[in-house]
């Protein structure tokens, strides 16, 4: 029997099964001696492999065909009457995490996709079009840069050899790690590209929660610029060296961090973050000879983002002369703002309203695999609220009923799309 929402076919999604799987996955990567530190599943780590193995086992329980591409992207396929992937609907996200992460970022979207497949399977339905559930490699980009690397490869935005050669912050080569954990697959990504992609995700920001809105209809996603800055100064004695004679890489870095905050404050929309800073040689009584820090700069407006990048580069030029240091800059990621598919966004909004839910059209502040899938197919995102906007933090939380509600909206949209030829 083919699925068609027009037939009044409305199988009910089992929220309990979804919540149970979220809890199981959330337990992978937890250091039980420090439960307050959440979970850490850096891309291609042993913890990531455990989560991948668990996801694959759940896909197989649902008799999905499991395919893995050369970047370790995992796909569970529920064939429709039209068994082609090129006309398929894919629902996806990621299961790698940042350091000391919450339970929902990424995992919620993948497991909700699995819940949609489970609902269709248990109802004995056969969709007209194929449903694919995807889990993309290295969405977070914490260990290997850039972020969204698996979906970028899937969308043809980075070559396999370049990706496999990426060096992690721990010095490991991405290709070696893919092989080590057994996820260097052979499926051709081009043959797996769908016609449409949906991603359900927690907002990770404060808007929906503070305004009491049930569902975010994500229309676009802001631009991202990641850079690594290395400042070379001169080590010297903390006690004997007059301030006027110092070439203090640490102080120069501190000036850069303050400049970035002031740039964001005065910009009207740019957000800047310095998430990592390292000083060398790292001794209390030695003026740092070297400082290394990363810059995460984001803006929904491409021109303003470019101006921010240039403003910071001009500042670094001045800094070299004023502090007598040498500055080098490496670009780690640069993605322009992305607009999602209007028709899919309209369908999400209509379904949510049909369920009596409040909705808000919004821009995603976070990066997502959807921004890469948008390069190759019609793509849209659904958000549910994050309690006090907290994410990339063990305290990340969304009430169960809101998680299940979001998954039911996803199911409704999916059934609509799958029921079409
Ligand atoms: O950085 C991001 O926005 C995403 O979590 N990778
Ligand atoms: Mn995410
Ligand atoms: Mn994230």
């Amino acid at each position: 029997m083919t699925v068609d929402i027009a037939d009044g076919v409305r199988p009910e999604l089992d929220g309990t099964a979804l919540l149970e799987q979220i809890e199981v996955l959330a337990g992978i990567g937890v250091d039980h001696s420090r439960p307050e530190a959440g979970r850490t599943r850096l891309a291609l780590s042993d913890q990531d492999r455990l989560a991948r193995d668990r996801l694959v086992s759940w896909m197989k329980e649902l008799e999905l065909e499991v395919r893995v591409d050369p970047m370790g992207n995992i796909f569970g396929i529920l064939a429709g009457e039209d068994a082609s992937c090129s006309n398929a609907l894919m629902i996806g996200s990621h299961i790698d995490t940042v350091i000391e992460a919450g339970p929902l970022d990424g995992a919620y979207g993948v497991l909700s996709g699995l819940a949609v497949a489970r609902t269709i399977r248990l109802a004995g339905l056969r969709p007209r079009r194929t449903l694919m559930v995807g889990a993309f490699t290295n969405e977070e980009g914490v260990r290997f840069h850039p972020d969204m690397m698996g979906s970028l490869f899937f969308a043809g935005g980075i070559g396999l050899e370049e990706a496999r050669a990426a060096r992690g912050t721990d010095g490991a080569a991405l290709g070696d790690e893919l092989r080590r954990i057994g996820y260097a697959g052979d499926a051709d990504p081009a043959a797996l590209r769908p016609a449409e992609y949906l991603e359900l995700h927690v907002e990770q920001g404060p808007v929906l929660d503070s305004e009491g809105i049930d569902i975010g209809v994500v229309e676009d996603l802001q631009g991202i610029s990641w850079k690594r800055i290395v400042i070379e100064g001169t080590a010297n004695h903390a006690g004997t060296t007059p301030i006027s004679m110092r070439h203090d890489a640490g102080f120069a870095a501190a000036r850069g961090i303050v400049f970035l905050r002031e740039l964001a404050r005065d910009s009207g929309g740019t957000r800047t973050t310095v998430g990592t800073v390292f000083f060398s040689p790292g001794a209390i009584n030695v003026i740092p000879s070297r400082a290394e820090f990363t810059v995460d700069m984001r803006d929904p407006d491409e021109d303003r983002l470019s101006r921010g990048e240039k403003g910071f580069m001009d500042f670094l030029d001045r800094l070299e002369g004023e502090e007598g240091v040498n500055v080098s800059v490496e670009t780690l990621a640069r993605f322009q703002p992305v607009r999602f598919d209007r028709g899919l966004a309209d369908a999400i909004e209509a379904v949510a309203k049909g369920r009596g839910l409040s909705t808000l059209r919004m821009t995603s502040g976070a990066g997502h695999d959807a921004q890469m899938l948008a390069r190759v197919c019609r793509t849209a995102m659904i958000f549910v609220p994050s309690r006090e906007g907290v994410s990339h933090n063990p305290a990340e939380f969304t009430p169960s009923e809101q998680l299940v509600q979001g998954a039911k909206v996803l199911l409704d949209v999916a059934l609509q799309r799958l029921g079409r030829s």
Side-chain angles (χ1 to χ4, degrees):
M1 175 181 158
T2 57
V3 164
D4 192 332
I5 205 159
D7 294 345
V9 172
R10 302 258 314 219
E12 201 48 33
L13 183 138
D14 177 354
T16 305
L18 168 61
L19 295 171
E20 284 168 357
Q21 289 193 335
I22 289 173
E23 191 174 348
V24 169
L25 213 58
I28 299 177
V30 170
D31 173 352
H32 293 289
S33 66
R34 295 176 61 233
E36 74 287 353
R39 69 284 306 143
T40 300
R41 294 197 299 269
L42 296 187
L44 309 182
S45 62
D46 288 339
Q47 296 77 14
D48 185 29
R49 178 179 53 78
L50 289 172
R52 286 165 170 267
D53 292 349
R54 174 69 71 157
L55 175 66
V56 167
S57 71
W58 283 335
M59 287 178 167
K60 289 180 174 171
E61 280 173 14
L62 290 175
E63 295 179 14
L64 304 183
E65 180 197 354
V66 177
R67 306 291 302 280
V68 181
D69 78 7
M71 265 298 281
N73 296 316
I74 300 169
F75 304 99
I77 302 171
L78 191 161
E81 275 179 21
D82 174 351
S84 72
C85 289
S86 59
N87 192 26
L89 166 68
M90 184 185 292
I91 299 173
S93 196
H94 60 95
I95 58 174
D96 65 309
T97 73
V98 295
I99 299 167
E100 300 190 5
L104 301 171
D105 178 358
Y108 171 52
V110 174
L111 296 178
S112 294
L114 216 51
V116 169
R118 181 182 310 109
T119 306
I120 290 171
R121 273 283 190 252
L122 296 181
L125 302 174
R126 182 173 163 78
R128 288 213 177 101
R129 293 164 59 196
T130 289
L131 170 65
M132 303 170 76
V133 180
F136 290 102
T137 295
N138 189 34
E139 189 278 344
E140 293 293 0
V142 168
R143 183 184 182 197
F144 300 100
H145 307 315
D147 55 347
M148 286 78 71
M149 197 194 237
S151 48
L152 179 66
F153 164 78
F154 184 75
I158 185 172
L160 183 57
E161 289 325 306
E162 180 186 355
R164 281 181 167 172
R167 283 279 163 196
T169 49
D170 55 1
L174 186 143
D176 295 345
E177 287 294 275
L178 265 176
R179 278 186 292 276
R180 182 182 70 83
I181 66 167
Y183 278 90
D186 59 6
D188 173 8
L192 294 171
R193 285 190 193 133
E196 296 180 322
Y197 178 81
L198 290 173
E199 182 163 356
L200 174 61
H201 208 289
V202 289
E203 180 200 337
Q204 301 182 287
V207 175
L208 295 175
D209 185 46
S210 61
E211 298 188 23
I213 305 279
D214 298 315
I215 295 289
V217 180
V218 187
E219 295 190 300
D220 57 357
L221 188 151
Q222 65 180 343
I224 300 178
S225 165
W226 278 7
K227 294 186 187 304
R228 177 184 288 122
I229 313 298
V230 176
I231 299 178
E232 308 280 352
T234 308
N236 217 323
H237 195 295
T240 58
T241 312
I243 297 297
S244 61
M245 288 177 63
R246 296 184 179 211
H247 303 294
D248 183 338
F251 175 70
R255 286 188 59 189
I257 295 169
V258 171
F259 177 87
L260 286 164
R261 168 55 67 89
E262 291 171 351
L263 179 150
R265 181 199 59 201
D266 302 338
S267 69
T270 306
R271 291 174 178 163
T272 59
T273 307
V274 175
T276 66
V277 183
F278 303 98
F279 285 175
S280 308
I284 186 168
N285 56 359
V286 178
I287 297 169
S289 55
R290 186 180 190 276
E292 178 180 319
F293 62 97
T294 52
V295 180
D296 177 316
M297 189 182 287
R298 308 199 194 196
D299 197 311
D301 180 309
E302 173 58 26
D303 291 342
R304 195 169 51 201
L305 179 57
S306 298
R307 285 198 302 275
E309 288 177 306
K310 183 173 182 326
F312 185 51
M313 293 302 111
D314 293 346
F315 164 79
L316 292 177
D317 287 345
R318 296 193 302 276
L319 191 68
E320 281 192 315
E322 292 165 8
E323 300 296 336
V325 295
N326 179 52
V327 178
S328 56
V329 178
E330 178 191 2
T331 296
L332 301 177
R334 181 61 167 92
F335 301 125
Q336 298 207 335
V338 168
R339 293 195 69 72
F340 291 130
D341 183 83
R342 273 283 168 281
L344 277 179
D346 293 346
I348 293 164
E349 186 175 63
V351 158
K353 286 183 170 169
R355 279 184 170 268
L357 301 173
S358 55
T359 64
L360 178 71
R361 297 236 172 180
M362 58 197 299
T363 295
S364 174
H368 296 288
D369 292 308
Q371 72 189 89
M372 303 308 173
L373 272 289
R375 297 182 181 200
V376 294
C377 68
R378 290 188 299 278
T379 294
M381 293 192 74
I382 306 168
F383 278 171
V384 294
S386 292
R387 178 68 56 84
E388 295 176 6
V390 170
S391 185
H392 286 188
N393 179 320
E396 178 187 77
F397 176 78
T398 299
S400 295
E401 60 275 11
Q402 286 186 325
L403 292 174
V404 174
Q405 194 167 262
K408 289 183 174 179
V409 169
L410 176 70
L411 172 67
D412 285 357
V413 178
L415 289 175
Q416 241 181 42
R417 312 307 291 187
L418 290 167
R420 297 182 172 193
S421 302

